[in-house]
């Protein structure tokens, strides 16, 4: 069971995983050793899945975001696994979701420029049969982030 200090630790760590344990302990009013034990417990319990570094996309040369909406005529487990493998080693595809509604999948793709989408598209269609693919280019980021709400965790 998580308490408010655990939630505060999680919230602070997901904002800055590089925060020192000393600073974190000060911010949640714990001793360094108690804070360290809590972090270890949160890692052991799986509440902290991993710690990562978020890179600046402009500086990394991939400022463009494109969403590919995919329809397929195939829904068998074997095809889904083939699709998963087809997209797994394409680093420009940073997220992939299976959907309800009019489309079966959505891919979030980061690119150096819009024209590079054709390279990614060809990689995908060479590996797996698709019924329809449409793409939308993100014109402006209104909200972005990797943090999630911590208030629901138990």
């Amino acid at each position: 069971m998580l308490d408010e200090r655990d939630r505060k630790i999680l919230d602070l760590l997901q904002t800055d995983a590089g925060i020192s344990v000393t600073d974190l302990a000060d911010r949640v009013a714990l001793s360094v050793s108690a804070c360290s034990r809590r972090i270890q417990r949160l890692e052991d319990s799986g509440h902290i899945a991993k710690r990562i570094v978020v890179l600046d996309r402009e500086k990394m040369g991939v400022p463009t975001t494109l969403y590919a909406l995919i329809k397929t005529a195939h829904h068998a487990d074997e095809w889904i696994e083939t699709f998963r493998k087809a997209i797994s080693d394409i680093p420009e595809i940073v997220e992939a979701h299976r959907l309800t509604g009019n489309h079966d999948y959505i891919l979030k793709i980061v690119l150096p420029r819009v024209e590079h989408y054709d390279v990614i598209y060809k990689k995908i269609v060479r590996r797996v049969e698709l019924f329809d693919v449409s793409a939308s280019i993100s014109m402006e980021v209104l909200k972005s982030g990797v943090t999630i709400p911590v208030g629901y965790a138990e």
Side-chain angles (χ1 to χ4, degrees):
M1 202 70 161
L2 299 183
D3 63 19
E4 283 309 308
R5 278 196 176 124
D6 291 331
R7 288 184 183 88
K8 181 78 172 172
I9 289 169
L10 291 170
D11 197 38
L12 291 166
L13 282 174
Q14 75 173 338
T15 303
D16 179 9
I19 188 171
S20 71
V21 177
T22 303
D23 289 342
L24 188 57
D26 283 344
R27 305 246 334 245
V28 297
L30 285 172
S31 70
V32 173
S33 59
C35 186
S36 184
R37 282 193 304 274
R38 282 184 183 241
I39 293 168
Q40 186 61 54
R41 182 175 45 80
L42 292 165
E43 288 175 339
D44 293 346
S45 68
H47 286 90
I48 298 173
K50 61 182 170 181
R51 297 188 201 190
I52 62 168
V53 172
V54 178
L55 303 177
D56 182 293
R57 288 187 34 206
E58 292 279 339
K59 290 182 179 175
M60 297 308 296
V62 286
T64 304
T65 303
L66 182 137
Y67 294 91
L69 292 160
I70 296 172
K71 291 182 184 180
T72 180
H74 307 283
H75 299 282
D77 289 345
E78 182 180 310
W79 186 92
I80 294 170
E81 189 55 32
T82 300
F83 179 65
R84 185 185 318 274
K85 287 177 183 173
I87 64 172
S88 68
D89 67 345
I90 303 173
E92 292 87 350
I93 300 173
V94 295
E95 286 187 37
H97 299 267
R98 190 164 58 91
L99 305 173
T100 62
N102 295 329
H103 297 89
D104 297 307
Y105 299 91
I106 187 169
L107 307 178
K108 180 179 179 182
I109 305 171
V110 297
L111 303 165
R113 60 190 185 289
V114 172
E115 294 81 7
H116 191 72
Y117 171 61
D118 191 48
V119 173
I120 305 306
Y121 172 82
K122 287 176 181 175
K123 282 183 183 181
I124 297 168
V125 298
R126 284 185 191 124
R127 298 173 182 186
V128 66
E129 180 184 350
L130 302 174
F131 177 74
D132 182 54
V133 180
S134 61
S136 295
I137 302 161
S138 172
M139 300 295 289
E140 177 184 9
V141 177
L142 301 176
K143 182 178 180 180
S144 177
V146 295
T147 62
I148 60 172
V150 297
Y152 299 100
E154 295 184 14

